[in-house]
Amino acid sequence: MIEASPWWTPHVHADRRPRLLLRNRIAAAIRDFLADEDFIEVDAAALQISPGNETHLSAFATAEIRSDGTTQPLYLHTSPEFACKKLLAAGEKRIFSFGPVWRNRERSALHHPEFTMLEWYRVGETYQKLMQDCAALLSLAADKAGTRRFVFRNREADPYAEPERLTVAEAFTRHAGIDLLSTVAPDGSTDRDGLHAALVSASLRTAPDDSWSDLYSRVMVELIEPQLGQGRATVLCEYPIVEAALARPAPHDPRVAERFELYCCGVELANGFGELTDPVEQRKRFEADMDEKERIYGERYPIDEDFLSALAIMPDACGIALGFDRLVMLAAGANRIEDVIWTPVPDSSSR
């Protein structure tokens, strides 16, 4: 077996360099775009009391050693979200954070333990405005790459075309033949057995201990996500409330939330919300997610009480996180996320 040369080998770097310079051009253009929209760039502290409270996100843990020798557990953030929302509570109106975040248990063609996230917030605006922002950033990245198409694993999309808007319920009907919302009650509770029967009818594998969310995720991963963002980008919106822990309920249907994800060439690029600002409901959702995390992974993360206090005075807002490296990857026609990262995190298993 021939061992691949390290990324810092001169001939390897020479091959990677055009994509890395493109990365810089796209980053500069994004900052210009957001500046023109009156956004302020903020630097969110990477070390946090809680890394986030989503069931399947795994964090890197560390500890602060204080001057008196006592310690405080801390985590590298998986998103700057908590810090940014505290700034909204403090009075900021349009902000963005553009920098590294960390997620454990994640390394693949589309995942890296440390990656760059672009996260931005608009106070007093709806999450439909974020959808427009996403369309603008796709065409901006294409302009800087000098390309008329994005490509990944034989899937193509026109970055200049208006993205398709598709609800999650419509996607389940179209790609899986499943009436998803018939298994979600107005109070947000779910019918696990009903969704299980639908998966069996669709000839999808199931396990006896699958929860409703496990079954939902299987349909998403196996039947829906590969079909999204082909020909043009897809805005997948109105997620079931149980799958949108940080989003507020949609005004027209309490079963779904103001959450959307942007897909292009089958790749998830961004995750946006009409932000939940009810600290009581947010605590309830966090605790439910941590109970599920403990069931699956045997661990749970603390809840940032400071964040919940700030949420009580945070104004109505919308916010979104975009995986910058993935956007560059599609614009550059790269096959792996590491191809567009200047200095990838070492992986001893590949040596």
Side-chain angles (χ1 to χ4, degrees), residues 4 11 13 15 41-42 52 58 68 72 94 135 141 166 179 195 250-251 259 267 289 314:
H11 74 277
H13 180 67
D15 181 63
E41 183 169 6
V42 301
S58 294
D68 63 1
Q72 172 182 223
R94 290 187 183 182
L166 181 70
D179 181 359
L195 187 55
R259 176 189 176 191
V267 176
D289 279 357
M314 185 183 128

Side-chain angles (χ1 to χ4, degrees), residues 28-140:
I30 287 174
R31 284 190 164 95
D32 288 343
F33 168 80
L34 291 170
D36 288 343
E37 291 281 311
D38 296 323
F39 280 82
I40 297 171
E41 183 169 6
V42 301
D43 294 320
L47 290 172
Q48 296 288 328
I49 294 293
S50 173
N53 297 102
E54 296 181 45
T55 299
H56 299 292
L57 284 187
S58 294
F60 288 88
T62 185
E64 175 192 5
I65 303 174
R66 302 187 181 98
S67 58
D68 63 1
T70 60
T71 61
Q72 172 182 223
L74 291 172
Y75 298 86
L76 289 173
H77 65 183
T78 59
S79 158
E81 181 168 6
F82 290 1
C84 285
K85 287 183 177 178
K86 290 173 185 176
L87 286 170
L88 298 185
E92 295 296 340
K93 303 298 184 185
R94 290 187 183 182
I95 59 174
F96 74 96
S97 171
F98 200 176
V101 296
W102 293 263
R103 296 187 180 182
N104 219 336
R105 299 179 188 262
E106 295 189 10
R107 192 190 286 263
S108 70
L110 290 171
H111 299 86
H112 201 65
E114 179 180 337
F115 61 99
T116 300
M117 180 176 285
L118 170 67
E119 189 157 312
W120 68 101
Y121 291 86
R122 292 177 175 270
V123 167
E125 299 182 76
T126 69
Y127 80 146
Q128 283 82 5
K129 179 59 178 174
L130 299 178
M131 299 177 190
Q132 297 172 17
D133 290 341
C134 286
L137 293 182
L138 291 176
S139 59
L140 179 152

Side-chain angles (χ1 to χ4, degrees), residues 52-303:
N53 297 102
E54 296 181 45
T55 299
H56 299 292
L57 284 187
S58 294
F60 288 88
T62 185
E64 175 192 5
I65 303 174
R66 302 187 181 98
S67 58
D68 63 1
T70 60
T71 61
Q72 172 182 223
L74 291 172
Y75 298 86
L76 289 173
H77 65 183
T78 59
S79 158
E81 181 168 6
F82 290 1
C84 285
K85 287 183 177 178
K86 290 173 185 176
L87 286 170
L88 298 185
E92 295 296 340
K93 303 298 184 185
R94 290 187 183 182
I95 59 174
F96 74 96
S97 171
F98 200 176
V101 296
W102 293 263
R103 296 187 180 182
N104 219 336
R105 299 179 188 262
E106 295 189 10
R107 192 190 286 263
S108 70
L110 290 171
H111 299 86
H112 201 65
E114 179 180 337
F115 61 99
T116 300
M117 180 176 285
L118 170 67
E119 189 157 312
W120 68 101
Y121 291 86
R122 292 177 175 270
V123 167
E125 299 182 76
T126 69
Y127 80 146
Q128 283 82 5
K129 179 59 178 174
L130 299 178
M131 299 177 190
Q132 297 172 17
D133 290 341
C134 286
L137 293 182
L138 291 176
S139 59
L140 179 152
D143 282 345
K144 295 304 171 183
T147 184
R148 300 294 306 181
R149 62 176 188 156
F150 286 173
V151 180
F152 183 71
R153 291 180 178 170
N154 299 316
R155 299 187 182 99
E156 297 186 9
D158 179 352
Y160 296 97
E162 182 70 20
E164 173 192 26
R165 294 195 187 183
L166 181 70
T167 69
V168 172
E170 290 169 342
F172 266 70
T173 299
R174 178 187 299 180
H175 299 300
I178 292 174
D179 181 359
L180 179 67
L181 292 185
S182 68
T183 69
V184 182
D187 65 357
S189 61
T190 55
D191 176 7
R192 183 266 179 199
D193 292 341
L195 187 55
H196 178 267
L199 263 72
V200 171
S201 296
S203 301
L204 288 175
R205 62 183 177 85
T206 63
D209 61 345
D210 277 341
S211 66
W212 185 95
S213 289
D214 293 331
L215 298 166
Y216 165 89
S217 296
R218 188 161 296 130
V219 178
M220 283 290 294
V221 170
E222 296 185 16
L223 297 182
I224 295 176
E225 287 184 334
Q227 306 302 322
L228 302 179
Q230 298 203 51
R232 58 175 173 157
T234 299
V235 169
L236 187 68
C237 58
E238 297 187 12
Y239 276 65
I241 199 77
V242 70
E243 295 297 320
L246 291 152
R248 60 188 173 223
H252 66 279
D253 188 342
R255 297 175 298 174
V256 298
E258 289 189 349
R259 176 189 176 191
F260 77 89
E261 290 191 319
L262 175 70
Y263 286 85
C264 195
C265 302
V267 176
E268 178 204 339
L269 288 178
N271 189 12
F273 303 99
E275 301 294 350
L276 180 66
T277 55
D278 180 346
V280 175
E281 176 63 21
Q282 188 66 85
R283 180 187 298 278
K284 176 183 173 183
R285 295 187 191 183
F286 279 168
E287 289 176 348
D289 279 357
M290 290 302 91
D291 288 345
E292 184 68 359
K293 185 177 189 66
E294 191 164 39
R295 180 186 73 84
I296 297 171
Y297 301 107
E299 64 176 342
R300 62 193 302 133
Y301 296 141
I303 290 174

